[in-house]
C-alpha cells in the first residue's frame, strides 16, 4: 500500500526533526534498518537456491533434543530402580 503525499511529507518532517534532535539515535536506526534489509535479502536468496525438501534444521535439532531428554530420564529411572533393588537385598 502506497503512502499518500501528505503522509510522506509528514514522515520526512519527522525524519528531519529526529536527525536534528538526536543524530546518534537516527544513525542507530538507519544502521538497524540496513541490517534488517540485508538479512531479509539474504533469506530470500537462500530460499531461492535451496529447495524446501525434508525437515528444517531447527526441527531436527528439536527432535534430537527431545530424544536426549527421554533417554536421560529413562537412564535416571533405571539407576533409581536398580539402586532401590540393590538396597533391598540382604548383605
Amino acid at each position: 500500500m502506497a503512502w499518500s503525499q501528505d503522509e510522506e511529507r509528514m514522515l520526512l518532517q519527522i525524519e528531519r526533526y529526529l536527525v536534528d534532535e538526536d543524530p546518534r539515535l537516527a544513525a542507530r536506526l538507519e544502521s538497524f534498518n540496513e541490517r534488517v534489509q540485508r538479512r531479509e535479502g539474504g533469506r530470500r536468496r537462500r530460499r531461492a537456491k535451496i529447495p524446501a525438501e525434508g525437515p528444517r534444521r531447527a526441527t531436527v535439532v528439536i527432535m534430537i533434543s527431545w530424544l536426549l531428554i527421554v533417554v536421560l530420564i529413562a537412564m535416571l529411572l533405571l539407576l533409581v530402580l536398580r539402586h532401590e533393588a540393590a538396597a533391598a537385598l540382604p548383605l
Side-chain angles (χ1 to χ4, degrees), residues 2-20:
W3 297 97
S4 70
Q5 289 181 353
D6 290 336
E7 291 171 331
E8 286 184 21
R9 183 179 46 79
M10 290 172 68
L11 286 173
L12 286 173
Q13 287 175 348
I14 293 170
E15 183 180 356
R16 284 187 206 120
Y17 177 77
L18 175 63
V19 170
D20 293 341

Side-chain angles (χ1 to χ4, degrees), residues 17-37:
Y17 177 77
L18 175 63
V19 170
D20 293 341
E21 189 67 29
D22 193 353
R24 287 181 59 199
L25 178 60
R28 285 182 179 177
L29 290 173
E30 182 64 30
S31 173
F32 174 76
N33 288 337
E34 289 173 1
R35 282 185 275 149
V36 168
Q37 288 173 352

